[in-house]
Amino acid sequence: MQCGAAVRLWDPSRVPKHKVCGEFLTPEIRPVLERLQLWDAFLDQQPARMERMRLVFGHRSANGRFAEPAYGLSRYRLDALLRGEAEARGAQIIAERVPGIVDITAHGRQFAAAGKDRLFGFKAHFQGPVSDAVELYFFNGFYIGVNPVEGGLTNVCGIGPEEGLRRHGFDYDALVHSNVPLRERLNPLQREMNWLSTGPLLYQTRLPAPPMDTFLAGDALQFVDPFTGTGMAIAIWSGSLAGKAAAEGLPTAEYYTQIRSGVEKQYGWCGRLRSALSMRFTQNLAPYIPPSWLYALTRPQIESR
Ligand SMILES: Cc1cc2nc3c(=O)[nH]c(=O)nc-3n(C[C@H](O)[C@H](O)[C@H](O)COP(=O)(O)OP(=O)(O)OC[C@H]3O[C@@H](n4cnc5c(N)ncnc54)[C@H](O)[C@@H]3O)c2cc1C
């Protein structure tokens, strides 16, 4: 639209709706939204602001500070904002897919049908005292994030192996209460919605080769580890680059080169850290690794593009 092209938007599901997501946005979100002139509208949603991070491994924890603030905004609010702005700027929401006109494919993550390492994600909002930190609790192959979002709510969102969930009868309350530090953290909070879950999902070990006949954007292109808190920023960034490329008639190969230079390094580091953390030796070392170091390694290079 900003490049003068007509935009038609097709999504078969209801938007907005509550989605399984950590709803945590690292500071990269600011330049991405500023370039789209969406920053003020984002702030109007009164996202929670976070200055600190805390990683909890058993009874040990490590703390770090963000150089710039991170934000918490529910997917309900963020998706409504993006859809509303697209419409206000002239995008036409269509009820039926029109074959042959799709330039950009952003259908989200493709579920892996099978596999022994399947993971599931889950989330719920809680009411109660609000913190200014994002906290991640690691235990038994799970990590569970606790962070504020708008309106004094706290989002609790985790990801973990199917086998571990089965041990708790897929009862997410039982799961979060099985870890003592997390149970103590959630003690003063009350869950205010039913748990939502998603999956199965699998981490990819390398960036998949994209099809050259369409501009893939967001999770349709690659599923970045939610640990990085950058999936939404990358989805908005890649979606806007894809829109510009399609409007200007850029070859898809050139678009994918831009994407790779933004996320390839991050992707590589996430894979290496994941395999390291699956080894017992590194699990024992993990509490001693400064969170700011892990954070710095897993940044995408999307700010100046
Ligand atoms: C457990 C978990 C926690 C996460 N936590 C965070 C976090 O804290 N911070 C962060 O930044 N990211 C996080 N992420 C990642 C983040 O949710 C995704 O990266 C982001 O939603 C990607 O946006 P998207 O638009 O590509 O896909 P989606 O948000 O999945 O949206 C895809 C849309 O496409 C629609 N669609 C599906 N099929 C079709 C079709 N055939 N045609 C047309 N439309 C279709 C769907 O209805 C949907 O509305 C998390 C992910 C998980 C699983």
Side-chain angles (χ1 to χ4, degrees):
M1 291 169 294
Q2 280 171 324
C3 302
V7 174
R8 278 175 278 192
L9 213 57
W10 181 66
D11 189 326
S13 71
R14 186 169 47 84
V15 179
K17 62 181 180 202
H18 286 293
K19 288 184 92 156
V20 178
C21 182
E23 304 181 332
F24 169 72
L25 297 142
T26 51
E28 285 91 4
I29 195 63
R30 180 174 182 159
V32 168
L33 292 179
E34 277 177 344
R35 269 198 302 277
L36 291 166
Q37 289 155 21
L38 279 173
W39 182 242
D40 290 342
F42 175 77
L43 291 182
D44 287 347
Q45 299 298 317
Q46 302 188 316
R49 221 176 120 106
M50 282 161 267
E51 313 282 347
R52 299 184 296 121
M53 60 189 126
R54 181 164 175 256
L55 306 186
V56 184
F57 303 88
H59 289 283
R60 289 189 186 280
S61 65
N63 296 288
R65 291 198 82 81
F66 295 115
E68 291 170 80
Y71 296 89
L73 186 67
S74 68
R75 287 303 296 266
Y76 198 93
R77 285 276 187 98
L78 181 64
D79 292 3
L81 166 70
L82 296 174
R83 165 72 76 109
E85 283 291 329
E87 273 191 273
R89 294 179 190 192
Q92 189 192 349
I93 311 293
I94 54 175
E96 294 270 329
R97 183 174 180 180
V98 183
I101 65 154
V102 178
D103 285 318
I104 298 166
T105 304
H107 53 44
R109 207 177 54 247
Q110 298 287 297
F111 292 122
K116 67 178 172 56
D117 298 325
R118 301 194 319 173
L119 301 167
F120 284 80
F122 48 91
K123 89 114 181 253
H125 286 164
F126 285 66
Q127 275 177 332
V130 174
S131 136
D132 68 340
V134 56
E135 297 161 70
L136 282 176
Y137 293 78
F138 294 83
F139 61 97
N140 300 341
F142 285 88
Y143 66 83
I144 299 186
V146 179
N147 57 268
V149 291
E150 77 280 359
L153 294 173
T154 296
N155 187 27
V156 178
C157 176
I159 193 163
E162 184 173 18
E163 192 41 47
L165 288 169
R166 187 170 295 115
R167 273 200 298 277
H168 292 281
F170 290 89
D171 177 340
Y172 299 107
D173 289 316
L175 171 74
V176 296
H177 285 103
S178 69
N179 176 259
V180 176
L182 184 55
R183 181 169 70 224
E184 286 169 359
R185 170 68 182 86
L186 298 182
N187 225 4
L189 305 180
Q190 295 87 45
R191 183 159 57 78
E192 68 103 58
M193 65 185 281
N194 289 331
W195 288 101
L196 301 176
S197 65
T198 187
L201 47 112
L202 277 177
Y203 291 122
Q204 292 150 321
T205 48
R206 61 181 59 176
L207 272 175
M212 289 296 158
D213 59 348
T214 183
F215 294 95
L216 288 188
D219 279 6
L221 182 64
Q222 49 125 39
F223 175 51
V224 67
D225 196 325
F227 166 79
T228 65
T230 57
M232 290 184 277
I234 292 174
I236 299 169
W237 167 75
S238 57
S240 62
L241 278 188
K244 191 161 180 289
E248 291 173 354
L250 200 74
T252 48
E254 277 182 44
Y255 161 73
Y256 289 125
T257 303
Q258 293 175 10
I259 294 292
R260 260 196 304 278
S261 61
V263 296
E264 203 159 33
K265 195 162 144 249
Q266 174 196 40
Y267 220 64
W269 273 111
C270 287
R272 273 173 233 131
L273 287 170
R274 250 193 332 270
S275 15
L277 279 172
S278 65
M279 292 185 266
R280 184 160 291 281
F281 169 69
T282 346
Q283 279 170 9
N284 295 336
L285 272 184
Y288 303 99
I289 302 173
S292 50
W293 186 74
L294 288 177
Y295 176 77
L297 279 180
T298 55
R299 295 304 84 209
Q301 319 296 309
I302 61 177
E303 291 190 35
S304 57
R305 282 163 221 278

